[in-house]
Amino acid sequence: MNLIEQTISSIAAPDEAAMRDARDHQARLTKPSGSLGVLEEVSVKLAGLAGQCPPPLPEPAAVAVFAADHGVHAQGVTPWPQEVTAQMVANFLAGGAVVNAFAGQVGASVSVVDIGVAADLDPAPGLIPRKIAPGTADLTRGPAMTADEARRAVATGIEVARDLAAAGKGCLITGDMGIANTTASAALIAAFTGLPAERVTGRGTGIDDATHARKIEVVRAALALHGLPAGDGADPLDVLAAVGGLEHAAIAGFILGAASLRIPVVLDGVIAGAAALVATAMCPRALGACVAGHRSAEPGHGAAIDALGLRPLVDLELRLGEGTGALLALPLVQGAVRVLHEVATFDSAGVSGKDAGRRN
């Protein structure tokens, strides 16, 4: 088997016994049952992922920022020049971006993966050079990637997840950088959800009305060109190659790699949401590793996480990307698991349960 097939075959379904143990343990803790709301659901999910209760603490955490450029930039979908991708990579590596500030706040490491930046990047600490191609082709004129490029990018994401796990990371966080990548994201989300272009195409970096209208038309044209949505029988890798980005492919692999290792992956915004649709179409069991860090202001992101059935932990109208929303949610994910490790039960603490008075 190749790496992708091997990884998919090793992804296990959630462990029902561990999830049942986590629910039972939550009910015995010194708090009203269900009082931690969604955090209890997160703890149960991560117990199912790990196959044990309590699951390992999801720490230390690592952000992998997958950076790539997009040929659809030529269609005028953003006023930002393409060279900003490489410039922001340099900013990440210098520690000057929001992702660096938020990662420092929660003790997460930041790596930048050059999966497809349309520029030659000098070696630097924190940079992982894995360029598949110098950006994608224009998805309105043909496939964004060849089938081989898409598969290689997915495999690279798996390798990055494995390397971070081997370095002792207990939680992975998706990050991204790529001018025009919200256009490719909208096309992917429309292709996998069946929603029309206008429902899933947002303003990205803050474009004006005219550019937004242009962006919707570009997404609509790309879908028509490639015959998308293609229905339930479509190969997810074919859809990915047609309208996706190299960073979408790598993040999909990153998710598959994390799931195969039973490590949780906290998803960021619309780019991660689009990639998660690819990953779970390739292997539905991979959803068991995914936690939606936040709900982006991008309409396509809401559509993606709704289709995935994920509940976002934070909703702050963010639309930055980089991994920033997921980093803000990280302490919530860690706290959900820490409760199972550290909070006393009614019996161990000598605290009366709610029905104790009725028995006396």
Side-chain angles (χ1 to χ4, degrees), residues 18-61:
M19 295 172 71
R20 183 171 58 252
D21 289 346
R23 291 189 188 97
D24 291 345
H25 191 67
Q26 284 280 1
R28 296 195 301 272
L29 298 179
T30 49
K31 61 177 182 58
S33 180
S35 60
L36 289 179
V38 175
L39 295 187
E40 295 190 16
E41 298 173 17
V42 171
S43 73
V44 170
K45 179 171 189 169
L46 297 192
L49 172 65
Q52 64 185 68
C53 177
L57 290 170
E59 54 187 50

Side-chain angles (χ1 to χ4, degrees), residues 111-303:
S111 300
V112 182
V113 184
D114 174 10
I115 194 71
V117 178
D120 293 328
L121 303 178
D122 294 330
L127 177 65
I128 303 174
R130 295 290 186 273
K131 197 190 304 285
I132 303 297
T136 55
D138 185 347
L139 53 81
T140 68
R141 296 180 178 274
M145 293 174 275
T146 66
D148 180 65
E149 287 170 344
R151 293 186 68 87
R152 287 168 57 203
V154 172
T156 298
I158 293 170
E159 291 168 352
V160 172
R162 289 185 171 187
D163 289 347
L164 289 172
K169 305 302 182 182
C171 184
L172 304 184
I173 297 172
T174 69
D176 61 86
M177 180 63 216
I179 297 300
N181 62 8
T182 59
T183 302
S185 297
L188 278 175
I189 293 166
F192 281 103
T193 65
L195 293 171
E198 62 271 17
R199 285 276 306 277
V200 299
T201 307
R203 294 180 180 268
T205 51
I207 55 179
D208 60 22
D209 289 346
T211 307
H212 185 220
R214 170 65 179 162
K215 186 176 177 181
I216 291 171
E217 286 304 315
V218 165
V219 172
R220 189 178 288 133
L223 295 170
L225 175 69
H226 299 288
L228 298 172
D232 294 337
D235 185 332
L237 281 171
D238 289 343
V239 177
L240 172 65
V243 297
L246 288 158
E247 75 271 53
H248 295 106
I251 293 171
F254 193 62
I255 293 167
L256 293 172
S260 72
L261 297 165
R262 295 182 175 266
I263 295 175
V265 55
V266 185
L267 305 177
D268 194 45
V270 67
I271 286 80
L277 289 172
V278 177
T280 56
M282 294 174 69
C283 179
R285 297 185 303 277
L287 187 63
C290 297
V291 177
H294 77 122
R295 181 184 292 271
S296 166
E298 284 288 298
H301 186 232

Side-chain angles (χ1 to χ4, degrees), residues 2 4 12 32 67 82 86 93 96 103 107 119 129 136 195 204 216 228 238 241 288 303-304 314 320 345 356:
N2 63 36
I4 297 173
Q82 193 169 68
L93 296 172
T136 55
L195 293 171
I216 291 171
L228 298 172
D238 289 343
V314 177
L320 177 57
T345 64

